[in-house]
Amino acid sequence: MKCDPTLYRAAPPSLAVKPRLIRHLFLPPLIIALMIGLGYIGFWVSEHYGIRSLSENGQRQLELHARAVESEISKYTYLPSLLELESSVSKLLDEPSSETRQTVNEYLEGLNRRSRSRAIYVMDTTGRVLATSNWRDVDSYLGEDLSFRAYFQNAVRGQPGRFYGIGSTNGEPGYYLAHGLEEHGKIIGVAVVKVRLEAMEERWQRARLEAFVSDENGIIILSSDPARRLKSVVPLSDETKEKLARSLQYYWFPLNELQPLARETLAEGVEKLTFPANSELASDEQDITYLAQTRPLSDTPWNFTLLTPLADLRREAINQGILVAVAFALVAFLLIAWNERRKVIATRLAAREALQEANNQLERRITERTTDLRASNERLKGQIRERRQAEETLRRAQDELVQAGKLAAIGQMSTSIAHELNQPLAALRTLSGNTVRFLERGQLDVASTNLKTINELIDRMGRITASLRSFARRGDDKGQASLGKAVDAALQLLGSRMESAHLDLHRDFNDVQVQIDQTRLEQILVNLIGNALDAMQSQPLPALWLEGEEYDGKYRLRVRDNGHGIDAEARKHLFEPFFTTKPGEQGLGLGLTLSASLAAATGGHLGVEHPASGGTTFVLSLPLVSPTPAEPI
Ligand code: ADP
């Protein structure tokens, strides 16, 4: 059964391709761009909040360590002023003598040892060192003029001298606290305590703390990283540099600027600084970024800066960024997969629905067609029934016609049969009368001969009547006949006419078995040969040819005569019932019609040919029972 092709027609492709192509082209770069963007945002947010949390934590650390620095510095503040109370010091300043100097030297030495400061010394108002705790050392300050020192200049004016510098004698850095020694309201000298603050640096290093202290000039005076020491955290003008060099505060150190690779101010006192990797503390070769938190130290113009490395934070932020990007990629992948799956399901559903619809339509059509077929089947059955009835009627009519034809033939033949029988009957009467007389005379031989002749005549008569009976008998469509026997029977039936006609008979056929009732074949042959005899009545040398040949599973027998032939008009109506050219009672016009229908009923055929040499040939084709030809007759 054919399906409707429109049911399976594909959707027009032109509309669907374009958006899909665009989606396939632009989706991957878009996802990658979003991944990078979101990853960066993740990194930025993580770093931002990380810095905030670090800075809060750092603020506490800053406070703690700044206080430690403050307490370290302030614990010596009182020390120089203590010397005001010492009478030997006042005495030395009033009247310097070597004895008093020695006394003060020893006093200062003892004080220095107890206070664990670096050095304690006393200067007069001109800045010359009169006594010092390190009087025993080779590089003792004794007698040195330190009037150029800012702490002296401040202290001599009655101001507290706070000063970080590098010693001009031995180049040793230290924190100097100076105090103007007063007597009766007048400054008579200056007491100075030099303190070393390196212990703090060591403490920071031990605690793995990165920090530095910058002084009022912006110079790093204390640093956990020695490389940063004596570097400037603010740009120094040439003028300032010259002034600082003149003061010898930092001895002859070049005071280079501590230049970060990047500097970002995050808040008041909070900066992000990136230093190159040449620092001693840097374990690897990467640049180091710090969160720098600065706070001024009280009582001094100094600043304390705490450096918190951001490497861990940055690594954490990068991880977070990667995590966000990967999470986004995963979500995007899941969404795409979900979308694809949804589309596949939708397509499947649509295909299933289309299939269902096509199926329904097909079923509807099948039902319609089945109904149509049933109706036409019923019609055909009706027609077949009608045909069968018509065939039955026809067959009955044909049978009746055959029978009528037979009866007609019998009627026709009855004259000749009567004639045929009268002759032997007359002969019998004569012979029997003669035999009686010969017996009375005792001529037994002649009587016996006569009796034999009488027997033969009786046999002949019996044969004539038997043929007539078999001819009149109703036949059967099926059956098989011997051609030789049928020809013999027909010739015997027509024997008297043939004898009177002095016919020249030519037999050239095989005694084959053909598929037809024996009687019917005889009947056909009697008709054909009888017609030939009729046609040759006026022929002085009548001749009849019976020629056979096997052809395509059939046997073809030609019955040819040299009679008057058939004219053109008669040829048209030859096989029509009741067509005859014979005068009066001689022809019924049924012979050929019946013969043709008898041949056709067994699958054979009766046709006619009109040879150019004259006469007529009837061609009888009948199916063979066995295609092997029998012996020729
Ligand atoms: P009928 O013999 O009763 O006329 P047929 O059907 O046998 O009926 O023949 C019809 C006619 O065909 C005959 O009247 C005759 O004119 C013609 N016919 C048949 N056989 C021959 C023949 N062998 N030669 C010439 N004419 C023939």
Side-chain angles (χ1 to χ4, degrees):
M1 191 171 288
K2 274 186 187 172
C3 297
D4 190 348
T6 54
L7 295 174
Y8 305 104
R9 202 183 295 146
S14 57
L15 289 173
V17 166
K18 231 176 176 180
R20 189 174 294 174
L21 191 75
I22 290 169
R23 209 164 53 215
H24 282 182
L25 273 179
F26 288 100
L27 201 58
L30 185 74
I31 288 174
I32 290 168
L34 277 171
M35 262 177 75
I36 293 168
L38 285 173
Y40 181 74
I41 290 171
F43 163 77
W44 187 85
V45 169
S46 169
E47 193 187 40
H48 180 77
Y49 284 101
I51 286 175
R52 185 187 279 187
S53 134
L54 260 188
S55 119
E56 280 167 11
N57 188 37
Q59 204 63 44
R60 286 192 291 278
Q61 293 273 330
L62 180 75
E63 199 58 37
L64 197 73
H65 292 287
R67 291 247 168 128
V69 175
E70 280 168 359
S71 73
E72 185 71 24
I73 294 166
S74 62
K75 77 179 180 192
Y76 296 102
T77 317
Y78 68 95
L79 201 56
S81 58
L82 270 183
L83 297 182
E84 228 170 32
L85 306 172
E86 181 55 43
S87 56
S88 59
V89 173
S90 314
K91 197 174 167 191
L92 176 69
L93 288 171
D94 286 340
E95 295 164 30
S97 68
S98 55
E99 203 177 309
T100 324
R101 186 191 309 268
Q102 191 53 35
T103 310
V104 173
N105 276 345
E106 282 169 11
Y107 168 71
L108 292 177
E109 189 180 19
L111 187 65
N112 185 52
R113 198 168 49 245
R114 281 193 293 277
S115 65
R116 296 196 184 166
S117 54
R118 187 76 185 101
I120 305 174
Y121 49 96
V122 177
M123 293 185 278
D124 60 14
T125 48
T126 62
R128 188 164 300 279
V129 179
L130 296 181
T132 173
S133 59
N134 59 4
W135 60 275
R136 292 178 202 271
D137 297 350
V138 190
D139 51 355
S140 156
Y141 301 149
L142 215 57
E144 256 187 71
D145 179 6
L146 298 175
S147 58
F148 63 93
R149 291 293 199 183
Y151 60 82
F152 168 76
Q153 288 163 10
N154 288 341
V156 88
R157 283 201 296 272
Q159 292 163 0
R162 299 281 183 273
F163 179 84
Y164 181 86
I166 296 171
S168 53
T169 320
N170 50 13
E172 188 188 69
Y175 178 46
Y176 298 85
L177 297 115
H179 179 77
L181 299 170
E182 282 181 40
E183 197 181 53
H184 311 299
K186 191 179 154 220
I187 289 176
I188 55 167
V190 171
V192 181
V193 177
K194 181 181 178 183
V195 181
R196 293 217 59 184
L197 298 173
E198 280 77 0
M200 253 184 314
E201 291 182 332
E202 283 161 20
R203 229 178 290 146
W204 292 343
Q205 281 169 5
R206 274 202 302 277
R208 298 203 156 273
L209 190 80
E210 292 205 48
F212 60 78
V213 174
S214 53
D215 66 6
E216 66 279 10
N217 297 316
I219 306 295
I220 296 174
I221 52 173
L222 293 172
S223 170
S224 56
D225 181 1
R228 288 193 201 113
R229 211 175 286 143
L230 293 172
K231 293 238 165 76
S232 133
V233 290
V234 289
L236 296 177
S237 64
D238 290 343
E239 201 183 322
T240 321
K241 273 187 182 171
E242 199 188 316
K243 197 184 103 198
L244 291 175
R246 255 205 319 271
S247 74
L248 274 181
Q249 183 174 353
Y250 308 104
Y251 203 48
W252 297 110
F253 281 92
L255 303 177
N256 288 333
E257 207 174 306
L258 183 70
Q259 278 178 325
L261 291 174
R263 176 189 289 265
E264 190 187 336
T265 307
L266 301 175
E268 178 71 39
V270 183
E271 280 180 314
K272 204 161 96 175
L273 300 175
T274 305
F275 291 115
N278 56 4
S279 165
E280 281 174 26
L281 290 180
S283 54
D284 47 28
E285 284 302 304
Q286 283 181 345
D287 296 338
I288 306 173
T289 305
Y290 292 100
L291 179 73
Q293 289 168 286
T294 306
R295 200 205 94 155
L297 293 170
S298 58
D299 289 340
T300 61
W302 300 353
N303 286 316
F304 177 76
T305 303
L306 180 72
L307 295 173
T308 314
L310 292 177
D312 288 348
L313 179 80
R314 172 154 288 204
R315 212 169 300 126
E316 183 75 5
I318 287 171
N319 286 346
Q320 297 278 2
I322 290 170
L323 206 69
V324 169
V326 168
F328 169 76
L330 202 72
V331 169
F333 174 76
L334 286 175
L335 278 174
I336 288 168
W338 173 78
N339 193 36
E340 289 300 316
R341 172 104 188 113
R342 189 185 58 76
K343 276 196 278 186
V344 166
I345 289 171
T347 314
R348 266 192 213 156
L349 270 177
R352 198 178 295 166
E353 274 171 21
L355 207 66
Q356 188 63 42
E357 180 55 37
N359 204 26
N360 291 345
Q361 216 160 328
L362 210 63
E363 273 179 10
R364 275 202 296 280
R365 279 173 193 218
I366 288 170
T367 315
E368 282 168 16
R369 297 254 167 98
T370 312
T371 316
D372 287 355
L373 276 174
R374 203 168 285 145
S376 64
N377 204 24
E378 284 304 315
R379 272 201 304 282
L380 271 173
K381 274 186 187 164
Q383 283 176 359
I384 288 169
R385 264 198 307 278
E386 281 170 21
R387 288 266 164 85
R388 283 214 180 116
Q389 276 172 2
E391 261 175 33
E392 194 53 39
T393 316
L394 205 66
R395 192 177 298 277
R396 273 205 298 274
Q398 200 182 39
D399 285 352
E400 268 152 29
L401 271 176
V402 169
Q403 201 57 27
K406 279 183 187 172
L407 290 174
I410 288 166
Q412 225 177 352
M413 282 186 287
S414 58
T415 321
S416 55
I417 290 164
H419 172 73
E420 197 73 19
L421 291 179
N422 279 341
Q423 268 188 327
L425 275 174
L428 277 175
R429 195 179 297 122
T430 312
L431 279 170
S432 61
N434 288 346
T435 307
V436 170
R437 274 196 296 274
F438 284 129
L439 283 172
E440 284 170 356
R441 284 179 204 163
Q443 291 178 319
L444 291 174
D445 294 347
V446 182
S448 160
T449 310
N450 276 359
L451 282 172
K452 275 182 190 163
T453 312
I454 286 166
N455 270 344
E456 281 170 13
L457 283 169
I458 289 165
D459 283 348
R460 181 178 155 86
M461 286 168 75
R463 279 202 301 276
I464 290 168
T465 50
S467 301
L468 195 65
R469 200 168 55 241
S470 73
F471 185 74
R473 207 169 53 226
R474 205 176 266 269
D476 192 353
D477 277 348
K478 297 199 170 50
Q480 83 182 51
S482 155
L483 182 64
K485 277 184 191 164
V487 169
D488 286 344
L491 291 175
Q492 198 169 19
L493 211 63
L494 298 165
S496 60
R497 290 181 63 195
M498 288 179 68
E499 267 175 36
S500 61
H502 304 292
L503 185 74
D504 187 6
L505 181 66
H506 301 271
R507 295 168 65 120
D508 183 17
F509 61 92
N510 294 332
D511 182 16
V512 291
Q513 294 290 314
V514 284
Q515 292 181 23
I516 190 168
D517 180 71
Q518 186 75 35
T519 315
R520 289 188 170 189
L521 180 58
E522 286 170 14
Q523 196 174 350
I524 293 168
L525 289 171
V526 165
N527 278 332
L528 296 178
I529 297 168
N531 279 344
L533 288 172
D534 287 341
M536 292 186 293
Q537 264 175 359
S538 51
Q539 177 60 252
L541 293 171
L544 184 71
W545 290 267
L546 299 173
E547 297 158 335
E549 61 175 337
E550 204 180 313
Y551 171 77
D552 198 16
K554 287 184 177 158
Y555 201 77
R556 199 147 59 185
L557 182 72
R558 291 170 192 273
V559 182
R560 180 157 68 92
D561 62 60
N562 60 351
H564 54 64
I566 305 167
D567 61 50
E569 185 56 34
R571 284 176 193 175
K572 292 182 199 163
H573 311 287
L574 215 52
F575 291 96
E576 288 174 8
F578 303 108
F579 171 77
T580 180
T581 58
K582 291 170 190 170
E585 295 292 306
Q586 284 180 29
L588 273 174
L590 288 172
L592 288 179
T593 316
L594 286 172
S595 300
S597 75
L598 287 176
T602 60
H605 178 258
L606 179 64
V608 64
E609 287 172 2
H610 308 283
S613 53
T616 307
T617 306
F618 279 90
V619 184
L620 175 67
S621 294
L622 292 170
L624 278 164
V625 172
S626 155
T628 321
E631 286 296 307
I633 294 171

